[in-house]
Amino acid sequence: MVPVMTCKLFTTWFKAGVVVVALSALLFGGDWHSPPRLLGDIVAEIAFGLKDAEVQWIVFLCLGTYLAVFLFLRLSLQARTVSRFQGVKAVFCLACLVFLDAAMYFVHYSPSAPALILLAGVVIGQGFALCATVRRGLFSLSILHVLFPLVSLLALASAWQDGSHIYEYRLVVRLTGPWNNPNIFGLLMGVGLVLALGSAVSVRSPGWNQRRMWRHICIILCLLAALPMARGLLQSYSRGAWLATGCGAVYLAGFYLWVSDFGTCKFFQLPIKPHWLQKNGLALAIVLFSSVVLLFWGFRETEWHAARRVLSVADSADFSSRNRISAWIGDLQIIAEHPWFGVGWNGSEPLYEHYYLPSKLSESAAIEMNDFLLLGAALGMPAFFCLATYLWLSFKENAKLKIGNPEVAGANWLGGTCRASAIVLLVGFWFDGGLFQLPTAAVFWVLLELGGAQSYKAIRQIDEIF
């Protein structure tokens, strides 16, 4: 008995260690300033090697092979529930997106970091989801084994201070953490904050089979981790990250109310029911709109930097907003002239700089701040619709799950937490980019696919019940 328990404990800690190493490499192995010497040398060598066209081509083929294997295995595991989960449709859309990415990469055949990161993010997400879907074995992985290390790493990153890259807003330093961009830092802090709050709720669900003492300890740790991440989010002064975190929190709260309608899980029961919200939705919307107008009028002359940062969106002289809007217009013009096949991965920014950049602006890098329009300009509208359809299917099919069993509700809540965190990045990609940067791209695909894996787990439990 003792050797068996020791073996299980060793396996659990081994899996946790592998997950921590993998997530650390994804989060800090890309755009990380002032890394330790040994790690910095390794990252520099890998980055230098990937700039070579032949090496990148081989890596691209290897990632494509891994993706094909992962998709085949996931469809095999979901064969019994595929009519309900509709995994074939989602896989087809994802395969079309990857095919268009690979086709444009090989047609132009020039080293392209965005093309490689897009494929790598998809592969990483599928790999984590496959491990979360497998029931038993060395490669089986619980979703909590991913969420807790991710929250812990983001909490540690929130305390990172480095003065090598300084960004300021009205003489106030914007925090960047281990990364070179306060917007990326703000997005990841928003992801960690939503994950910490959602994990604290999921730990209290009846589907989490642990002692009450361990539940309370995990809840306290999640809430303690949320505090520095909330501070980092606020002091990043990233408006896109603030909006994205708000959208993720709204989705999480709405999902909480939706789960509370089960009626069998005592913790999820609330005095406010969804039908009450539907009945009073118009009045609540009017109150919310009036509150926003009053806050805007009351804080228009405030000296509070966070409020001024939010209200600067309405300032016609705000350079950041004008730069983004001009870049969006340029992207749309490129898409209108090249709607089917785009201009290639390396053609959008030079084309925008030479033909679509307004004369009053001199910075063409703003075109990279909206990943969705950049994807349409680079690969054409078919790739954009493939991504949009895949995202729609991922969220739409997961919203159909409704069952009163507490364990199924717990698994479904974990999936909702992952999807809420993915929404934070999804909204942030519109304003601050990140889909083609390794830290945010890897976290986005992992959370999106883990949400689908948890939905599959809930479906499997439903099939076992009935």
Side-chain angles (χ1 to χ4, degrees), residues 243-425:
L243 177 62
T245 306
C247 293
V250 168
Y251 179 88
L252 193 65
F255 192 78
Y256 186 95
L257 293 174
W258 179 79
V259 173
S260 69
D261 198 34
F262 285 160
T264 60
C265 185
K266 181 179 179 181
F267 174 70
F268 286 128
Q269 291 181 347
L270 292 177
I272 299 177
K273 296 296 182 179
H275 63 81
W276 185 89
L277 294 176
Q278 294 177 359
K279 183 178 179 180
N280 300 277
L282 180 60
L284 291 176
I286 294 175
V287 172
L288 180 61
F289 178 76
S290 302
S291 301
V292 171
V293 172
L294 291 176
L295 288 175
F296 178 81
W297 184 263
F299 283 96
R300 69 187 191 281
E301 299 296 338
T302 184
E303 295 298 326
W304 184 26
H305 290 90
R308 292 190 69 89
R309 182 65 172 167
V310 173
L311 299 178
S312 64
V313 176
D315 188 0
S316 59
D318 183 65
F319 176 77
S320 179
S321 300
R322 291 190 296 111
N323 214 7
R324 280 179 171 82
I325 294 174
S326 299
W328 296 350
I329 295 174
D331 274 326
L332 292 174
Q333 291 174 332
I334 295 175
I335 293 174
E337 294 186 3
H338 305 85
W340 295 108
F341 303 106
V343 296
W345 282 113
N346 298 325
S348 300
E349 185 173 349
L351 191 64
Y352 173 71
E353 182 179 2
H354 288 90
Y355 297 102
Y356 303 106
L357 182 66
S359 58
K360 296 181 180 180
L361 301 177
S362 59
E363 183 61 48
S364 62
I367 195 174
E368 300 177 358
M369 303 298 284
N370 189 312
D371 289 326
F372 304 109
L373 295 180
L374 180 62
L375 181 68
L379 302 183
M381 289 305 296
F384 175 81
F385 282 117
C386 286
L387 177 61
T389 305
Y390 180 73
L391 296 174
W392 169 255
L393 289 175
S394 298
F395 286 95
K396 174 176 175 290
E397 294 303 321
N398 294 330
K400 292 182 178 180
L401 294 177
K402 231 177 185 183
I403 188 67
N405 184 272
E407 293 186 358
V408 177
N412 199 14
W413 172 257
L414 284 174
T417 301
C418 292
R419 292 190 296 275
S421 304
I423 286 177
V424 175
L425 291 172

Side-chain angles (χ1 to χ4, degrees), residues 429-451:
F429 291 161
W430 181 270
F431 300 99
D432 300 320
L435 185 60
F436 307 116
Q437 299 185 39
L438 183 60
T440 45
V443 172
F444 168 73
W445 287 107
V446 167
L447 292 173
L448 181 66
E449 300 301 336
L450 285 180

Side-chain angles (χ1 to χ4, degrees), residues 152-199:
S152 301
L153 290 173
L154 291 176
L156 291 175
S158 65
W160 184 280
Q161 299 292 336
D162 193 293
S164 58
H165 291 77
I166 298 178
Y167 295 83
E168 292 183 349
Y169 173 72
R170 292 182 176 270
L171 301 180
V172 177
V173 177
R174 300 176 61 185
L175 298 184
T176 60
W179 301 280
N180 294 330
N181 191 326
N183 296 325
I184 297 298
F185 174 73
L187 281 178
L188 290 175
M189 291 300 100
V191 169
L193 180 60
V194 173
L195 275 179
L197 297 178
S199 299

Side-chain angles (χ1 to χ4, degrees), residues 55 60 64 69 75 112 117 124 132 140 168 172 189 199 205 211 216 270 334 348 356 365 378 401 462:
V55 174
F60 210 96
V69 174
L75 286 178
S112 174
I117 291 176
I124 292 168
S140 64
E168 292 183 349
V172 177
M189 291 300 100
S199 299
S205 66
R211 295 180 180 179
H216 292 166
L270 292 177
I334 295 175
S348 300
Y356 303 106
L401 294 177
I462 292 172

